[in-house]
Every structure is written in structure tokens, then in C-alpha cells.
């Protein structure tokens, strides 16, 4: 859990040494005109998972630097709401996104499959679904919430690799691109 700007700053070197990362967000949207970012989950290819707490980190530029880096591919599942939440917090849009839901639409008859279904189908793992009714602004985060949040990015990098292989095998990678 990264809960200070100094902690995030110290992890930036590890993050920027990578060419890709998985990212997801948790936010609250009820009774607001815009989403309120409550948590940012980041997974690196080495398996490290960072949970960044934007409620207490006031250096928005540190998170902006990550999502704006054109050298980092951001792997996101169903990215529209995550992009909106990140924009609402940083006032900038993420670049260089690989959306696993869009990629999976090119290989499956079932469109817009959920993340847990994609994890089950491609990684043969079961993860818990549905915490959209959870108050992600409450602190401290329970162990259950932390595990759920980490699972949201745990498999994305592997899923991206599997989707690219399938897209190429079907000669549809250019469609996705």
C-alpha cells in the first residue's frame, strides 16, 4: 500500500524501468458529477502490485507521470471509466492503453466480457466479482478490499500476452491495433 507521496516517488524508478504495467481504479460515483478516485492499483511484470491511495497522496503529478508516459503500455480492462476517474483526479488522460476487453471482443463471440470471466477463461482462475457497492473512500481498507483490489490487476499482464497470441493466430491483431 502506497500512502505517501514519498513512497510513490521511491517506487517510480521501478515502474519506469518497465515497458508495461497493469492498472485499475476504484472510485465512488454516487451523488457526484464526476468520479472520486479512491484507489489506483498497479501491477508490474515481475508480479509486484502497488495499491496507491490518492486520498492521502497530494502529489497528483506523480500519478500523472505514470499515466502520461508513452514508454509505458497501460493494460486496462474496460478502460472507459478508469480513464474518466484518472482524468478527474489528474486532469490528464492516460496514453498508450491496451484495453483487454476490446482485444477480447475480436476473438470471442461474446462481446464485452467482464474481467472475472476473462480471468477464468484465459487463466483458469476464479476471482471474486462485484465490489461496486463498496465504499472505497473508507479507511483503513479491509484485507478483503485489498485482496479484491490486487486481483483486479494481478492477471492483466498475462491476459494481454494471451490475447495478443490469439489475435495474431486469427490474423486479427491489426484489427485491434
Amino acid at each position: 500500500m502506497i500512502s505517501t507521496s514519498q513512497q510513490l516517488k521511491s517506487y517510480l524508478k521501478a515502474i519506469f524501468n518497465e515497458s508495461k504495467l497493469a492498472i485499475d481504479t476504484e472510485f465512488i460515483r454516487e451523488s457526484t458529477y464526476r468520479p472520486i478516485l479512491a484507489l489506483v492499483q498497479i501491477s508490474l511484470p515481475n508480479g509486484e502490485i502497488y495499491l496507491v491511495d490518492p486520498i492521502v497522496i497530494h502529489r497528483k503529478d506523480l500519478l500523472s507521470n505514470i499515466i502520461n508516459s508513452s514508454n509505458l503500455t497501460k493494460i486496462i480492462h474496460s478502460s472507459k471509466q478508469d480513464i474518466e476517474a484518472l482524468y478527474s483526479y489528474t486532469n490528464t488522460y492516460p496514453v498508450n492503453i491496451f484495453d483487454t476487453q476490446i482485444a477480447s471482443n475480436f476473438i470471442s463471440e461474446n462481446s464485452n466480457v467482464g474481467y472475472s470471466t476473462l480471468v477464468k477463461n484465459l487463466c483458469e482462475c476464479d476471482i471474486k466479482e462485484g465490489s461496486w457497492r463498496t465504499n472505497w473512500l473508507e479507511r483503513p481498507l479491509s484485507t478483503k478490499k485489498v485482496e479484491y483490489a490486487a486481483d483486479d490487476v494481478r492477471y492483466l499482464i498475462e491476459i494481454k500476452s494471451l490475447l495478443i497470441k490469439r489475435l495474431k493466430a486469427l490474423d486479427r491483431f491489426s484489427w485491434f491495433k
Side-chain angles (χ1 to χ4, degrees):
M1 186 71 156
I2 298 175
S3 54
T4 69
S5 296
Q6 192 59 39
Q7 282 178 316
L8 182 55
K9 196 173 179 180
S10 70
Y11 286 114
L12 286 180
K13 185 175 181 182
I15 290 170
F16 286 118
N17 280 336
E18 301 295 343
S19 62
K20 61 189 168 203
L21 57 83
I23 192 166
D24 186 54
T25 63
E26 303 300 340
F27 52 88
I28 298 297
R29 162 169 241 124
E30 293 81 25
S31 304
T32 66
Y33 289 106
R34 59 176 179 75
I36 300 169
L37 190 63
L39 191 66
V40 178
Q41 304 98 282
I42 297 172
S43 175
L44 300 181
N46 65 7
E48 289 180 11
I49 296 175
Y50 304 126
L51 303 180
V52 181
D53 189 346
I55 295 171
V56 294
I57 295 176
H58 301 290
R59 293 273 318 269
K60 296 178 181 185
D61 62 306
L62 297 175
L63 198 50
S64 292
N65 291 341
I66 295 168
I67 66 171
N68 283 326
S69 173
S70 58
N71 296 328
L72 278 171
T73 299
K74 274 65 81 185
I75 306 163
I76 308 175
H77 183 80
S78 187
S79 63
K80 183 179 182 232
Q81 289 187 22
D82 297 300
I83 290 170
E84 186 181 359
L86 289 166
Y87 177 81
S88 181
Y89 180 77
T90 64
N91 204 32
T92 185
Y93 288 106
V95 299
N96 198 11
I97 295 172
F98 183 101
D99 190 315
T100 56
Q101 187 178 64
I102 293 172
S104 71
N105 285 342
F106 288 102
I107 63 168
S108 174
E109 292 178 14
N110 300 321
S111 63
N112 299 327
V113 297
Y115 177 65
S116 60
T117 301
L118 202 56
V119 169
K120 185 173 183 78
N121 292 345
L122 296 179
C123 303
E124 299 177 2
C125 295
D126 288 315
I127 60 170
K128 294 187 180 187
E129 315 182 35
S131 71
W132 57 275
R133 291 190 186 262
T134 297
N135 182 355
W136 285 99
L137 296 173
E138 274 182 358
R139 295 296 184 267
L141 292 173
S142 68
T143 303
K144 190 175 179 179
K145 284 182 183 177
V146 168
E147 288 172 8
Y148 173 88
D151 276 348
D152 271 357
V153 292
R154 188 176 316 279
Y155 302 98
L156 280 171
I157 294 172
E158 179 183 355
I159 286 172
K160 176 189 181 243
S161 296
L162 294 168
L163 288 171
I164 288 175
K165 284 179 187 171
R166 290 188 183 185
L167 286 166
K168 287 181 177 179
L170 294 168
D171 200 23
R172 296 180 183 171
F173 187 64
S174 64
W175 297 2
F176 170 74
K177 292 297 270 179

